[in-house]
Amino acid sequence: MKKILLLVLAFIMLCGCTYKAKTYASLDDYPVYEGNDMELTYSPAKSDFCVWSPAAQSVVLKIYDAAQDGEPSETLPMKAAEKGTWRVSVKKELLGKFYTFQVTQDGTVYDETPGIWAKAVGVNGNRAAIIDFVKTNPDGWENDVRPKMDNFTDAIIYELHYRDFSIAENSGNKNHGKFLALTEENTVSPKGEKTGLSHLKELGITHVQILPSYDYGSIDETKLDENVYNWGYDPKNYNVPEGGYATDPYNPYSRISELKKMVQTLHQNGIRVIMDVVYNHTFVGETSPLNLLVPKYFYRFKEDGSWSDASGCGNETASERVMVRRFMVESVKYWVKEYHIDGFRFDLMGIHDIETMRAIRAALDEIDPSISIHGEGWTAAGSPLADSLRALKNNAPKFYPTAVFSDDIRDAMRGNWTEGDKGGFVTGTKGYEESIKFGIAGATAHSQVDLLKICHTNTAYSINPFQAINYVSCHDDPCLTDKLRTVLPKASEKELLAIDKLAQTIVLTSQGVPFIFAGEEIFRNKKGVHNSYNSPDSINLIDWNYKTTYRDLFDYYKNLIALRKAHPAFRMTTAKDIQDNLQFLETDKNVVAYIINNNANGDAWKNILVVFNGNRTPVSYTLPSGKWNAVCLDGKIDLKGIATKSGKINISASSAGIFWAE
Ligand code: CA
């Protein structure tokens, strides 16, 4: 009897069925694996697979001939290896095949997952693809270089969505809504205005920040002809481009090579590319690729064991866990190295822990310190991780030099985001002057700014001005045109255009990093839809005929950008320079004025005076002594000079005046 038992035991051992899953007191006790061979190491002779899933009972590799449907051609058990990894090698050519992993843990057989480190996928990203990455590189890729940028305050960021920007028939593009639209040069609207890439060059921006480019889950890539739209804040495969923006989502090479081609073309035209990354949550929780591979590990949970939800999207990730942090760091590095990305915008960065954001900065510094990082220093709801540990706006000094969006200058200009029909400084609402001054000083400590009177903070969160992103609108909430129409339903279009110009003049002359939302330079609207994340193209598209209709507005933005680029005084790099050279002046209610002295930051202009009149009526303003050359007045900008002024002058309703003097 004993002999039989031993035989049975030996048989079970031979089958490899005796593996006893490791147990851990908590998710934080999982072992750390730091190898760089995650998931797939391919060569023609063999493919090595390695996944990290410490508490699994078993992991199986399935190999398929196709990206969807059909049975696996091979199902291979993986072997438990060091530090929570599981391994199997397939000693034959697997190029062109697809694969998934399937984890069993605590008696539950989880759905198959392409893993968390899939770098290529088939349609809809359910299976990882084995491809030859060399073939994804466009000609000349090895010579691709980042456009030069000395300081982040030199950046002028333009936020766009692939479909918004090129889906309209009158965009003049061929590749509507695709990565490749941004590779098309010399496109024009039917009325002869430059569109697409040529429009960006004409406007003069330095960076595009594009809404999510990684593979997301909300769009069915097999039904792209059904006019599907989503912003894409629902990540599925973090390290693969989205198939909906590829010309052929079924071909795993298409999305990769086309995104690279886009980056290369933008670089050739002097424009840097900022990737919008959403590591803070996934499209789904239970069935995300992350959770199917390492159940629970990537997420935070409440004390009662339920999923915490600081993202407002059903889950939140746990960057403070060592292997989640490592995943984020390695993923960001991967986008830089494989796709030549120049910067990152972290969605709901306030969910991530400070240590992770610092680790990401350190990793990028090793590659190129000019790769920028900024993010939303807030969350959508509460998180179980303490505020003091997370990358919230007011903690920005702890994760210097990473930048945060200034909702303070935004809401000071246009009104509190929670009060849709209430306005701010530019619409004539009084009481926001101090927050405007705070924004002008780039959210740095300035002796003339009273921190107790600022919209959403009492902290000068920027150590130096490049930590503040100044903006009046982005993809979230109403775009500027819709917001102004809501707040001032009786105002004429002429009045609204004047207010629009005033708002962007504040953005583009303030210390810090200016940011504009695509299409606002041509008075784009979203037909009053605020949260247009899944609205049809008809709501979200940029109508390029507007460029003809609102040519005056476009020229104003263009000149404003040219002004900023020509005058380093608006782009100071230290808080000390701002304190030493920028002085606020006494003004009437709802007027803010300041002077920048001393050829600040090497400017050719010795003294620069800026006056913002937020009132909807003209104001009389007495210039400091001497003669002042006006370059911006009454809604016009001309760097060569508009008029010479002295003494008492008129600043028209809702407008900016900019002057310089010897
Ligand atoms: Ca997708």
Side-chain angles (χ1 to χ4, degrees):
M1 193 65 188
K2 204 173 172 186
K3 209 170 176 183
I4 293 170
L5 258 176
L6 279 172
L7 274 172
V8 169
L9 203 63
F11 179 75
I12 291 170
M13 283 177 76
L14 274 173
C15 291
C17 303
T18 53
Y19 179 78
K20 190 171 178 310
K22 292 196 172 63
T23 54
Y24 301 90
S26 81
L27 296 168
D28 300 311
D29 294 333
Y30 280 18
V32 172
Y33 178 69
E34 292 185 324
N36 59 4
D37 58 346
M38 291 308 277
E39 298 189 6
L40 171 65
T41 306
Y42 162 80
S43 72
K46 66 164 184 164
S47 290
D48 296 327
F49 296 86
C50 169
V51 299
W52 182 80
S53 189
Q57 273 168 263
S58 70
V59 184
V60 170
L61 168 72
K62 295 188 177 184
I63 295 171
Y64 292 89
D65 292 333
Q68 52 184 356
D69 305 326
E71 293 301 312
S73 57
E74 292 187 63
T75 300
L76 303 166
M78 298 182 78
K79 208 172 163 204
E82 77 280 18
K83 298 187 172 171
T85 57
W86 298 77
R87 292 178 182 275
V88 67
S89 287
V90 182
K91 292 185 174 53
K92 61 181 171 186
E93 174 65 272
L94 289 182
L95 195 68
K97 304 286 186 189
F98 298 85
Y99 65 90
T100 63
F101 303 105
Q102 188 162 34
V103 166
T104 300
Q105 185 168 314
D106 298 329
T108 301
V109 181
Y110 287 84
D111 290 345
E112 293 172 48
T113 168
I116 64 174
W117 262 111
K119 292 172 180 165
V121 294
V123 69
N124 277 333
N126 293 323
R127 291 177 189 163
I130 302 176
I131 67 165
D132 179 357
F133 262 83
V134 173
K135 289 190 181 152
T136 65
N137 293 342
D139 288 345
W141 187 237
E142 63 282 2
N143 300 320
D144 178 59
V145 287
R146 276 174 231 301
K148 192 173 173 299
M149 182 184 76
D150 292 330
N151 297 296
F152 195 29
T153 49
D154 298 341
I156 296 162
I157 302 174
Y158 184 89
E159 186 195 39
L160 67 87
H161 182 283
Y162 294 107
R163 282 182 87 92
D164 296 17
F165 200 61
S166 62
I167 205 75
E169 275 306 315
N170 63 23
S171 67
N173 285 109
K174 291 191 191 78
N175 296 285
H176 294 291
K178 303 293 185 189
F179 295 130
L180 288 183
L182 282 165
T183 68
E184 294 177 42
E185 311 222 24
N186 304 316
T187 55
V188 288
S189 70
K191 296 184 178 182
E193 298 284 2
K194 288 175 181 168
T195 61
L197 176 58
S198 297
H199 172 79
L200 297 178
K201 288 162 68 179
E202 186 183 10
L203 185 58
I205 55 96
T206 65
H207 289 59
V208 285
Q209 174 183 310
I210 313 182
L211 269 72
S213 300
Y214 55 72
D215 179 39
Y216 58 82
S218 55
I219 294 293
D220 185 343
E221 297 173 8
T222 67
K223 294 179 179 163
L224 296 178
D225 54 349
E226 292 180 6
N227 190 21
V228 283
Y229 183 97
N230 206 287
W231 283 345
Y233 291 95
D234 44 77
K236 187 166 178 177
N237 288 291
Y238 278 104
N239 299 303
V240 190
E242 161 60 20
Y245 302 133
T247 55
D248 182 3
Y250 292 87
N251 174 354
Y253 288 86
S254 171
R255 61 183 77 198
I256 298 170
S257 60
E258 290 167 15
L259 179 53
K260 286 182 175 178
K261 179 77 187 158
M262 182 197 88
V263 173
Q264 182 188 43
T265 308
L266 287 163
H267 283 176
Q268 286 164 346
N269 287 284
I271 297 171
R272 286 190 172 213
V273 180
I274 294 173
M275 186 165 170
D276 193 338
V277 288
V278 188
Y279 294 103
N280 67 77
H281 76 277
T282 47
F283 179 42
V284 289
E286 295 276 2
T287 57
S288 75
L290 308 180
N291 201 57
L292 294 175
L293 196 70
V294 197
K296 293 197 166 178
Y297 183 82
F298 281 85
Y299 299 92
R300 291 185 188 137
F301 295 88
K302 295 179 190 165
E303 277 185 12
D304 66 3
S306 62
W307 293 67
S308 60
D309 184 20
S311 70
C313 298
N315 61 76
E316 66 178 285
T317 53
S319 57
E320 68 280 14
R321 272 188 208 123
V322 179
M323 287 297 277
V324 182
R325 176 176 301 142
R326 182 173 152 71
F327 175 68
M328 288 172 61
V329 170
E330 294 301 317
S331 177
V332 165
K333 281 165 64 181
Y334 175 70
W335 283 105
V336 169
K337 289 182 171 169
E338 189 66 38
Y339 291 88
H340 302 182
I341 295 295
D342 309 295
F344 295 89
R345 175 264 187 199
F346 280 77
D347 187 66
L348 298 182
M349 186 169 68
I351 290 180
H352 303 314
D353 70 306
I354 290 168
E355 194 178 336
T356 295
M357 293 313 302
R358 291 175 61 93
I360 290 170
R361 181 66 268 172
L364 293 180
D365 280 346
E366 279 184 26
I367 301 170
D368 179 348
S370 80
I371 298 169
S372 58
I373 311 179
H374 64 278
E376 292 181 309
W378 51 74
T379 64
S383 169
L385 191 69
D387 284 5
S388 61
L389 299 177
R390 284 184 286 112
L392 293 164
K393 183 182 71 176
N394 285 346
N395 292 333
K398 296 186 200 165
F399 50 86
Y400 179 84
T402 290
V404 291
F405 283 99
S406 172
D407 53 346
D408 302 288
I409 192 169
R410 181 197 69 197
D411 285 5
M413 283 191 276
R414 61 185 273 166
N416 195 309
W417 68 282
T418 58
E419 301 171 331
D421 57 349
K422 296 219 173 74
F425 177 83
V426 299
T427 59
T429 305
K430 294 187 172 57
Y432 285 108
E433 295 90 335
E434 208 65 20
S435 293
I436 295 289
K437 286 163 62 182
F438 178 73
I440 289 166
T444 60
H446 191 286
S447 60
Q448 288 176 286
V449 176
D450 183 351
L451 292 174
L452 298 177
K453 293 181 183 165
I454 310 308
C455 287
H456 302 299
T457 192
N458 53 13
T459 304
Y461 43 81
S462 295
I463 290 182
N464 282 318
F466 44 78
Q467 268 196 292
I469 306 288
N470 297 322
Y471 69 124
V472 67
S473 60
C474 66
H475 68 276
D476 274 319
D477 301 321
C479 62
L480 183 57
T481 311
D482 287 341
K483 172 72 180 178
L484 298 182
R485 284 181 177 154
T486 306
V487 174
L488 301 171
K490 291 179 185 158
S492 68
E493 189 166 277
K494 193 177 164 208
E495 288 175 299
L496 296 183
L497 286 164
I499 295 170
D500 182 306
K501 288 178 180 176
L502 171 63
Q504 297 291 10
T505 313
I506 296 172
V507 170
L508 280 147
T509 52
S510 288
Q511 304 298 322
V513 180
F515 172 108
I516 56 179
F517 180 46
E520 296 205 324
E521 68 280 15
I522 55 172
F523 213 50
R524 112 23 108 90
N525 68 77
K526 293 198 287 182
K527 299 189 169 74
V529 178
H530 299 176
N531 190 10
S532 64
Y533 76 100
N534 65 353
S535 299
D537 292 327
S538 57
I539 299 294
N540 282 301
L541 66 72
I542 293 173
D543 179 347
W544 290 93
N545 285 338
Y546 282 33
K547 190 167 175 184
T548 307
T549 310
Y550 300 106
R551 182 73 212 193
D552 173 69
L553 185 71
F554 175 80
D555 285 338
Y556 187 92
Y557 275 57
K558 183 179 144 187
N559 291 334
L560 201 46
I561 287 169
L563 168 73
R564 184 175 178 92
K565 282 176 148 179
H567 290 281
F570 299 113
R571 299 182 269 120
M572 285 185 258
T573 58
T574 67
K576 185 176 185 306
D577 268 1
I578 297 171
Q579 177 66 60
D580 289 350
N581 300 315
L582 191 155
Q583 270 181 288
F584 292 100
L585 306 173
E586 282 289 313
T587 56
D588 292 339
K589 287 270 184 231
N590 221 33
V591 176
V592 170
Y594 63 95
I595 193 161
I596 303 177
N597 298 310
N598 310 323
N599 300 94
N601 203 24
D603 207 293
W605 289 343
K606 187 173 180 197
N607 301 304
I608 302 173
L609 173 70
V610 181
V611 185
F612 299 127
N613 177 17
N615 296 291
R616 299 192 56 219
T617 50
V619 291
S620 163
Y621 184 78
T622 304
L623 296 168
S625 62
K627 283 187 177 170
W628 290 89
N629 303 292
V631 290
C632 171
L633 201 62
D634 299 330
K636 297 273 176 237
I637 296 178
D638 186 345
L639 294 190
K640 292 197 236 46
I642 294 171
T644 306
K645 300 275 183 183
S646 57
K648 196 177 260 195
I649 61 159
N650 192 58
I651 304 284
S652 57
S654 316
S655 81
I658 303 175
F659 312 83
W660 66 274
E662 291 299 332

